[in-house]
Amino acid sequence: MIRQALALLLLSIPGAGLAQGWQCSIPPQIAVPRLPAPDAPPRLTPITGYTLAASWSPEFCRTRKDDPRHATQCSGKHGRFGFVLHGLWPEGRDGQFPQYCPSRRLPDAQTLRRNFCTTPSADLMMHEWARHGTCMSADPAAYFDKGRALFQSLRFPDMARLSRTPGLDAGKMREAMSVANPQLRPDMIRLLLGRDGWLREVHVCLSRRMKPARCPGGTKPADTVPVKIWRSF
């Protein structure tokens, strides 16, 4: 019954699930940031799977609209964004994922421009390459192209309507994602919530072959945990 209701909710809005920003204007020039200093020790461990992390931009930007460090994503000058790609991350056993692997290559301006409407922050893209991409590919462009392709294959529920759903909880949020993406079961989806229950991110668990897979250790948070969705529309 819940699944049928969610399916009707999704189908009632034409094109409701597109994974792109609502609007996107690529800046005329995108400077290539310096490679950030590692904020954790380098770690070389076997890859057991992957996580595709999508960030709910209205929540991220709620307190950052006037922060120049996040101007390209949050100021509104370059678009209004819904879900954006936080990153594609390699996973390891017992949470010991590889990070900050050695690399002699950096993303160039063309690569950053090509991925801007998916991840509207050159600084974030550089961080993602430094911490995660270096452990997955020798070529920055190939790493970002793969993440963008996976992200653009997702559809998302109508977040404005979902945010008004009485009694919205983690189970219903995962079910809505599963209805929008028949290839995903709820146990393949994790949610990242703020301390006050606001939705921050949706994580899709992937196998070593980068196919949807059951999340190791189960889904989090529990289905009954209340979820709130900040909307700026």
Side-chain angles (χ1 to χ4, degrees), residues 33-77:
R34 296 179 60 182
L35 195 69
D39 54 7
R43 186 165 53 226
L44 300 176
T45 57
I47 295 175
T48 58
Y50 300 90
T51 293
L52 185 71
S55 173
W56 179 235
S57 191
E59 171 62 22
F60 176 82
C61 292
R62 178 157 54 130
T63 59
R64 297 176 173 89
K65 289 183 178 179
D66 300 321
D67 189 335
R69 295 174 299 176
H70 304 290
T72 54
Q73 180 175 344
C74 299
S75 69
K77 294 180 180 179

Side-chain angles (χ1 to χ4, degrees), residues 20-213:
Q20 296 293 333
W22 299 315
Q23 301 169 353
C24 180
S25 175
I26 302 175
Q29 294 184 336
I30 296 181
V32 178
R34 296 179 60 182
L35 195 69
D39 54 7
R43 186 165 53 226
L44 300 176
T45 57
I47 295 175
T48 58
Y50 300 90
T51 293
L52 185 71
S55 173
W56 179 235
S57 191
E59 171 62 22
F60 176 82
C61 292
R62 178 157 54 130
T63 59
R64 297 176 173 89
K65 289 183 178 179
D66 300 321
D67 189 335
R69 295 174 299 176
H70 304 290
T72 54
Q73 180 175 344
C74 299
S75 69
K77 294 180 180 179
H78 301 290
R80 296 175 60 244
F81 298 96
F83 277 103
V84 298
L85 177 61
H86 183 166
L88 176 61
W89 307 334
E91 299 294 346
R93 296 189 183 280
D94 301 320
Q96 296 297 301
F97 53 85
Q99 62 184 11
Y100 294 111
C101 298
S103 177
R104 296 182 179 180
R105 300 184 64 179
L106 297 177
D108 57 22
Q110 183 178 2
T111 297
L112 298 181
R113 285 182 61 83
R114 187 164 62 250
N115 292 279
F116 178 84
C117 290
T118 302
T119 304
S121 168
D123 288 327
L124 176 56
M125 283 188 273
M126 190 63 73
H127 172 80
E128 292 301 295
W129 166 250
R131 184 169 189 178
H132 304 293
T134 54
C135 298
M136 293 174 51
S137 176
D139 180 8
Y143 167 69
F144 286 109
D145 286 350
K146 185 62 178 180
R148 187 180 71 253
L150 288 168
F151 177 74
Q152 291 181 341
S153 72
L154 291 179
R155 293 179 64 85
F156 293 97
D158 174 21
M159 297 297 284
R161 182 168 293 193
L162 193 61
S163 70
R164 297 179 173 90
T165 301
L168 182 64
D169 56 26
K172 291 178 182 177
M173 181 70 211
R174 278 191 282 265
E175 190 69 29
M177 282 294 299
S178 181
V179 169
N181 300 272
Q183 76 277 19
L184 298 180
R185 300 192 310 268
D187 64 359
M188 298 172 172
I189 303 165
R190 285 179 172 151
L191 306 178
L192 178 61
L193 306 180
R195 293 182 179 179
D196 48 4
W198 292 99
L199 177 69
R200 293 174 57 189
E201 297 193 351
V202 172
H203 294 177
V204 176
C205 299
L206 305 171
S207 68
R208 289 183 62 186
R209 299 179 63 185
M210 293 194 180
K211 301 296 183 181

